[in-house]
Amino acid sequence: MSLLERDKKHLWHPLTQHKSHPDTIVIKRAEGAVLYNEEEHALVDGIASWYTCMYGHSNPFIVHRVVEQLQKLDHVVFTGFTHEPAILLSEALISILPSNQEKIFFSDNGSTSVDVALKMAFQYHHNLGQKRNVVIAFDEGFHGDTFGAMSVSGLSVYNGSFEDFFLEVKRIPVPREDNLELVKSMLKNILQENDVAAFVYEPLVLGAAGMVMYEAEHLNELLKITQAHHVINIADEVMTGFGKTGTNFASEQVEIQADIICLSKSLTAGVAPMGLTTCSDRIYQAFYDDDMKKGFFHGHTYSANPLSCTAALAGIELLQSEQIVEARDRIHALHRSFTRQIQDHPRVKSTRTKGVIFAMELDLNLDRYGEVRDRLFHFFMEKGVFLRPLGNIIYILPPFVISDSQLRKIYSVIEEVLGIV
Ligand SMILES: *Cc1c(COP(=O)(O)O)cnc(C)c1O
């Protein structure tokens, strides 16, 4: 039996309707910016496997570090024990995070990092003797698939069977030049009529919404208002973190600092799962008490796994290396020149670029979205490029280590696709 036939026997894939889904693709190995299937057919990984493998797949520097760590300490309980990889990682992170961030709390993935942030925010107010139970979030935000994270994500057609169990969430549109005043007044109304605990947002770029980008100054205007109402501002940097938007963290470009930041995805360079929720000392102090019950009683078995911590540390080292800093600028410049090349094409409705993220909207009629998305996907795959269009939006978020020629290959298949849609 082939691997594919054996896969079908027992495996249930994420985000998949198995009845209508075409065959999955077996990936045998990966190196740098390239994935290889069973027939050794190369696929340029144009989205860094969901923004995780930013330093390239199986990066030898990171692999070496993780193997070394594996021979020393594989795992130990993080309640009552600690270890050097976690301590080193906390120091490395605090040195690059926005200056108000002081404490690091571990969990397992992006969704749990958001659930932890929400629980921290609710309990923060509870510990101060206030009952605040409402969360504000963007209409099109995405924060994950566990219950808390799913609740604050923009409503999806797939959420029907869960909606009765959601947290109470009030939604606002993403601010733009032409709706900023409206969004501000909506926000003020919500704050007046509800006991709002937290505002959770993807800073500068809403990933799953289709790389929707908005201005730091506009976000800042909203954060000023929520901060004045003692709302906990939670920046979900699970996608934007670690150098994708031009700065190490998107939050650095915003004047008002977030109280809590969520991190995952490229945190561990794609080597192992891990989520982090970081917070300011003000948040931490509300839990630091003689009263046991004021502590934060949340924990995961694999919290601060030493291998994940080691991969993260090696990733942060690379993030700050001259080679990667240069690569980030180079990719941005190439995105800009590709934009100039295609922006006037009749099939291109709009383009946008921030840091190493590029997105373009195709000018297509609405009822063809699903069909077009699948056609685009298969076209790209046949040409040896892995991209995952979202409806009529094609985006690129390549690993930092992608070569100019690999990136040009992605651009050229996108240009080719413009001729056939
Ligand atoms: C992917 C993502 C999540 C969820 O992370 P998982 O590790 O898939 O649970 C949360 N927030 C944002 C902004 C994301 O992009």
Side-chain angles (χ1 to χ4, degrees), residues 86-380:
I87 294 163
L88 290 173
L89 177 59
S90 69
E91 291 164 353
L93 276 165
I94 294 300
S95 75
I96 57 169
L97 277 164
S99 63
N100 68 335
Q101 298 297 297
E102 275 298 323
K103 298 286 176 182
I104 313 265
F105 192 92
F106 288 93
S107 65
D108 292 345
N109 54 64
S111 306
T112 55
S113 76
V114 172
D115 272 22
V116 165
L118 293 168
K119 284 177 73 173
M120 264 183 194
F122 289 132
Q123 193 181 339
Y124 169 87
H125 294 295
H126 181 87
N127 283 0
L128 297 183
Q130 297 172 9
K131 185 172 162 28
R132 294 190 180 217
N133 61 338
V134 172
V135 183
I136 299 175
F138 285 132
D139 284 331
E140 307 168 87
F142 177 74
H143 302 286
D145 284 342
T146 54
F147 261 94
M150 179 172 56
S151 299
V152 291
S153 294
L155 286 181
S156 150
V157 290
Y158 305 112
N159 284 348
S161 40
F162 313 119
E163 279 168 24
D164 290 347
F165 311 104
F166 279 4
L167 299 172
E168 198 173 344
V169 181
K170 301 287 175 195
R171 297 181 191 285
I172 54 172
V174 174
R176 300 179 310 259
E177 202 65 55
D178 61 356
N179 72 354
L180 180 61
E181 290 311 311
L182 174 75
V183 177
K184 278 164 68 178
S185 73
M186 282 176 80
L187 182 58
K188 285 176 187 161
N189 281 339
I190 293 169
L191 290 165
Q192 233 143 48
E193 288 166 13
N194 299 275
D195 296 317
V196 177
F199 171 38
V200 56
Y201 55 92
E202 292 165 86
L204 309 190
V205 186
L206 284 78
M211 299 297 158
V212 170
M213 298 178 187
Y214 65 109
E215 298 301 320
E217 302 91 83
H218 295 164
L219 176 57
N220 207 49
E221 293 283 302
L222 305 186
L223 296 182
K224 266 191 223 161
I225 298 169
T226 47
Q227 193 181 56
H229 284 76
H230 307 289
V231 167
I232 304 301
N233 288 321
I234 301 171
D236 178 353
E237 295 232 22
V238 169
M239 191 284 286
T240 52
F242 303 100
K244 302 191 194 80
T245 65
T247 43
N248 285 339
F249 301 95
S251 291
E252 287 170 48
Q253 298 175 42
V254 188
E255 201 183 320
I256 304 260
Q257 293 186 319
D259 302 293
I260 296 180
I261 297 178
C262 304
L263 301 169
S264 188
K265 292 215 164 105
S266 67
L267 164 68
T268 57
V271 173
M274 184 160 80
L276 289 179
T277 308
T278 75
C279 70
S280 66
D281 196 49
R282 182 168 69 91
I283 303 289
Y284 181 74
Q285 288 306 327
F287 292 77
Y288 190 80
D289 202 278
D290 291 326
D291 184 354
M292 272 293 270
K293 289 195 304 294
K294 287 197 171 175
F296 191 51
F297 286 87
H298 182 110
H300 296 281
T301 310
Y302 276 94
S303 288
N305 173 259
L307 304 177
S308 303
C309 290
T310 302
L313 258 171
I316 291 171
E317 231 174 278
L318 291 180
L319 178 71
Q320 295 173 295
S321 69
E322 208 173 302
Q323 188 205 346
I324 296 295
V325 172
E326 268 173 23
R328 285 153 61 180
D329 292 342
R330 175 175 56 83
I331 293 167
H332 181 72
L334 286 168
H335 283 342
R336 296 294 291 254
S337 71
F338 178 56
T339 300
R340 286 191 291 275
Q341 198 175 316
I342 55 146
Q343 63 192 359
D344 298 325
H345 191 285
R347 280 278 175 244
V348 177
K349 192 169 173 186
S350 64
T351 61
R352 45 189 180 265
T353 300
K354 202 173 283 287
V356 299
I357 308 171
F358 166 88
M360 62 186 271
E361 202 174 337
L362 296 175
D363 197 359
L364 296 173
N365 70 34
L366 281 156
D367 51 327
R368 291 177 56 215
Y369 271 24
E371 176 215 330
V372 166
R373 185 230 158 265
D374 290 347
R375 260 181 63 207
L376 294 176
F377 176 79
H378 293 297
F379 179 84
F380 293 142

Side-chain angles (χ1 to χ4, degrees), residues 22-38:
D23 286 344
T24 38
I25 296 149
V26 179
I27 296 298
K28 215 164 144 197
R29 65 187 188 92
E31 196 184 329
V34 184
L35 304 166
Y36 296 91
N37 73 3
E38 274 187 299

